[in-house]
């Protein structure tokens, strides 16, 4: 995977912060140096103001970064105290992020790529779509969601230049009724892929990794772990490797070669 620029502290100001799906917020922040430095697949570690007792930062990926405007687009689900406080930030409110953290997606190669996202795994997948299309690849995207009301990413994936975008929902309220693997099988039946990139729940990525291994297709997976520092100093984000031992999700990842991970 791609290893890039050094991590530092950046001040940011909120441009907008609005709910775009059930419990899913779209934050646009202004931080020109950060917007120039971020590479698709990397993440930032957010300080969320409002509770001095909450000292841990929140790791979040991004969907797009505009180097000219100096803005970064982040999509996040409100799952706990920190993300709920983040959802209360208003335009012109300011805070800091540590970043860019981690490696990024590797976009080398020239064939057709399939990108598979589950839930709030969609933002880094949209960023990957834009990068892969920019590198001259044709890209298809599968977006899995619990239901239509929690779905984000369809328009963003098309805007990023994806060729086909298939949606699956657990309750059948949008797209194909079923798991992402149903759509993955369908697309793999119609197209030849030389790369799959995936981000979402661990169990979903494990299933996608298995399909790719059986089909002999390279697979990159962006993993989520509980994180404390975000830059390799605390050992809280271990990923168990198939060859034995552990790697740090925050510095060796979050993007890993799926074949190397012990799922
Ligand atoms: C590299 C990376 C990128 C991420 N990108 C995004 C993103 O783009 N959008 C998004 O919505 N979320 C993303 N996450 C998950 C996000 O960091 C957590 O949802 C967030 O930290 C929860 O904080 P909280 O204070 O609201 O919840 P807490 O009160 O801390 O926890 C609420 C629930 O979320 C779980 N949780 C907490 N931290 C994490 C974590 N780091 N990974 C997985 N589950 C966690 C807890 O186990 C608990 O079940 C990412 C995580 C990582 C590691
Ligand atoms: S979060 Fe501290 S080592 Fe990864």
């Amino acid at each position: 995977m791609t290893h890039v620029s050094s991590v530092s502290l950046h001040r940011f100001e909120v441009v907008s912060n609005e709910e775009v799906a059930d419990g899913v917020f779209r934050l646009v922040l202004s931080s020109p140096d950060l917007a120039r430095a971020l590479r698709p697949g990397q993440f930032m570690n957010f300080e969320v103001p409002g509770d001095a007792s909450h000292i841990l930062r929140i790791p979040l990926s991004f969907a797009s970064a505009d180097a000219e405007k100096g803005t970064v687009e982040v999509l996040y689900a409100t799952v706990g105290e920190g993300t709920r406080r983040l959802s209360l930030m208003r335009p012109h409110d300011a805070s800091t992020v540590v970043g860019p953290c981690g490696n990024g997606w590797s976009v080398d190669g020239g064939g057709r790529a399939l990108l598979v996202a589950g839930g709030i795994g969609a933002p880094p997948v949209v960023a990957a779509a834009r990068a892969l299309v920019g590198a001259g690849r044709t890209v298809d995207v599968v977006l899995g969601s619990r239901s239509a009301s929690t779905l984000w990413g369809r328009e963003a994936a098309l805007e990023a230049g994806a060729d086909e975008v298939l949606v699956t929902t657990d309750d059948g309220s949008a797209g194909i009724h079923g798991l992402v693997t149903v759509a993955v099988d369908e697309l793999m039946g119609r197209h030849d892929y030389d790369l799959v990139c995936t981000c979402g729940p661990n169990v979903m990525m494990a299933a996608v990794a298995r399909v790719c291994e059986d089909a002999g297709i390279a697979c990159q997976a962006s993993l989520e772990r509980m994180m404390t520092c975000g830059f390799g100093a605390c050992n809280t984000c271990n990923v168990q490797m198939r060859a034995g031992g552990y790697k740090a999700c925050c510095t060796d990842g979050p993007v890993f070669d799926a074949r190397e991970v012990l799922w």
Side-chain angles (χ1 to χ4, degrees), residues 181-219:
T181 39
V182 176
V184 167
D185 286 345
E186 189 199 313
L187 286 166
M188 283 188 174
R190 287 196 275 121
H191 302 293
D192 288 330
Y193 295 104
D194 71 348
L195 173 66
V196 171
C197 297
T198 185
C199 184
N202 221 59
V203 61
M204 182 209 87
M205 291 193 287
V208 172
R210 219 169 17 248
V211 170
C212 291
E213 187 149 2
D214 291 348
I217 303 170
C219 180

Side-chain angles (χ1 to χ4, degrees), residues 148-233:
S149 66
T150 53
L151 178 70
W152 176 85
R154 192 171 185 283
E155 288 73 23
L158 289 167
E159 273 168 27
D163 195 37
E164 281 193 60
V165 180
L166 295 191
V167 166
T168 67
T169 49
D170 298 349
D171 64 4
S173 54
I176 300 166
H177 188 178
L179 301 175
V180 292
T181 39
V182 176
V184 167
D185 286 345
E186 189 199 313
L187 286 166
M188 283 188 174
R190 287 196 275 121
H191 302 293
D192 288 330
Y193 295 104
D194 71 348
L195 173 66
V196 171
C197 297
T198 185
C199 184
N202 221 59
V203 61
M204 182 209 87
M205 291 193 287
V208 172
R210 219 169 17 248
V211 170
C212 291
E213 187 149 2
D214 291 348
I217 303 170
C219 180
Q220 300 176 34
S222 182
L223 269 52
E224 271 192 18
R225 288 293 183 275
M226 299 303 287
M227 288 187 181
T228 304
C229 71
F231 48 81

Side-chain angles (χ1 to χ4, degrees), residues 44 58 79 95 106 131 145 152 192 195 201 230:
M44 300 151 280
I58 291 186
V79 295
S95 186
S106 172
S145 180
W152 176 85
D192 288 330
L195 173 66

Side-chain angles (χ1 to χ4, degrees), residues 63-150:
S64 67
D66 187 325
E68 272 178 29
K69 289 187 185 155
T71 55
V72 181
E73 179 193 27
V74 176
L75 277 297
Y76 62 95
T78 47
V79 295
E81 187 44 37
T83 44
R84 251 192 297 277
R85 268 189 291 112
L86 183 59
S87 74
L88 299 177
M89 290 188 80
R90 292 290 162 257
H92 306 300
D93 286 352
S95 186
T96 65
V97 295
V98 172
C101 299
N103 59 9
W105 303 106
S106 172
V107 298
D108 299 341
R112 196 172 184 113
L114 176 60
L115 312 188
V116 186
I120 201 63
V125 158
V126 166
R130 193 173 295 103
L132 287 159
V133 170
R137 283 176 177 264
T138 301
V139 164
D140 300 317
V141 176
V142 175
L143 299 170
S145 180
R146 281 201 314 277
S147 81
S149 66
T150 53

Side-chain angles (χ1 to χ4, degrees), residues 226-237 248-250:
M226 299 303 287
M227 288 187 181
T228 304
C229 71
F231 48 81
C234 72
N235 274 335
T236 54
C237 64
C249 188
C250 67

